[in-house]
Amino acid sequence: MAKGDRIRLIPYPVDGLAEMPTREPLAKRPVVIGWVGRMQDEQKRVERLPALLQAFDAAKIDYRFELLGDGPRETWLRQQLPSDRTVFHGRKSGDEYYSVLSGWDFITSVSDYEGLPISMLEAFSAGVLPLCPAIGCGGDEYAAKLGEEFVWNAFDFDQAATKLKFILSKPEPALAQARSEARALTGGHSEADYFRTFDE
């Protein structure tokens, strides 16, 4: 057996949505941007979120920001983020978790580092698009497969807003195509594929 044949990559299995939810056209409503994780400064760096939303405000983006999770910085975030544009869902699991994800248009992050974020893959299965900082993780790589506009220079919040505004200027069929491509990226992460590859 050749040395190269002895190494196999087994993509992490994700229990995603069976069907992609339908969405109202973005021209008729605010864009919904989501964040998932532990509300803490270490790694997740949630103290950066107010600056990100300020950049969205400065760019005059009509948005709603939704957070899934909890943690020690939740009270601080509730004080810092605009109450009229922010929804705190708390921790969710199962159908409740996917019900929230299904209402999002984009998922973003302000972390210092990640691996391949499972929450991103789960969001992709619901047709959620990435707005991903370039931090040298698997999320960057997956987001870039959809187009360079889905990745912004880490912690350049003005650039994140500019890229989001550019994406939102696209016609609805182009956005629908991007959602389908995001969902397709999760194909190799199905449980069936995981066990098949493992068995091989």
Side-chain angles (χ1 to χ4, degrees):
M1 179 181 287
K3 186 179 290 187
D5 294 335
R6 298 175 65 182
I7 299 173
R8 293 291 299 273
L9 172 66
I10 306 179
Y12 191 94
V14 172
D15 183 21
L17 284 180
E19 293 183 12
M20 187 162 60
T22 57
R23 291 174 171 82
E24 283 188 42
L26 278 166
K28 299 180 179 179
R29 60 177 177 82
V31 59
V32 183
I33 305 158
W35 177 92
V36 181
R38 177 91 174 137
M39 295 177 185
Q40 63 186 31
D41 291 345
E42 183 183 353
Q43 180 190 359
K44 299 301 182 182
R45 298 303 298 271
V46 296
E47 78 275 13
R48 293 172 174 151
L49 287 174
L52 178 62
L53 270 56
Q54 287 164 12
F56 294 157
D57 288 333
K60 297 186 174 5
I61 294 170
D62 185 16
Y63 72 90
R64 185 170 72 248
F65 192 70
E66 300 192 1
L67 299 96
L68 267 170
D70 58 17
R73 292 287 261 168
E74 180 174 350
T75 299
W76 181 85
L77 283 171
R78 286 181 179 273
Q79 295 167 348
Q80 298 297 317
L81 301 181
S83 60
D84 60 334
R85 289 179 177 244
T86 308
V87 177
F88 288 82
H89 290 284
R91 289 188 67 184
K92 302 287 183 188
S93 60
D95 290 343
E96 286 186 315
Y97 174 79
Y98 278 106
S99 177
V100 173
L101 279 188
S102 296
W104 293 357
D105 299 299
F106 290 86
I107 184 169
T108 195
S109 164
V110 287
S111 298
D112 273 336
Y113 57 91
E114 295 283 352
L116 173 56
I118 297 168
S119 58
M120 176 185 278
L121 295 175
E122 292 166 336
F124 279 5
S125 79
V128 179
L129 296 172
L131 191 62
C132 187
I135 56 174
C137 75
D140 308 14
E141 181 182 345
Y142 272 55
K145 290 179 182 180
L146 300 174
E148 64 178 17
E149 65 269 31
F150 295 99
V151 183
W152 46 283
N153 291 336
F155 322 128
D156 184 344
F157 304 123
D158 290 337
Q159 186 187 81
T162 298
K163 291 206 169 193
L164 177 58
K165 201 159 188 177
F166 171 74
I167 297 166
L168 295 176
S169 72
K170 293 185 176 187
E172 195 63 35
L175 293 173
Q177 177 64 30
R179 292 183 192 114
S180 295
E181 291 173 2
R183 182 174 167 81
L185 288 175
T186 67
H189 292 270
S190 70
E191 286 192 3
D193 278 3
Y194 173 82
F195 287 114
R196 178 184 53 76
T197 307
F198 189 84
D199 288 342
E200 288 174 355

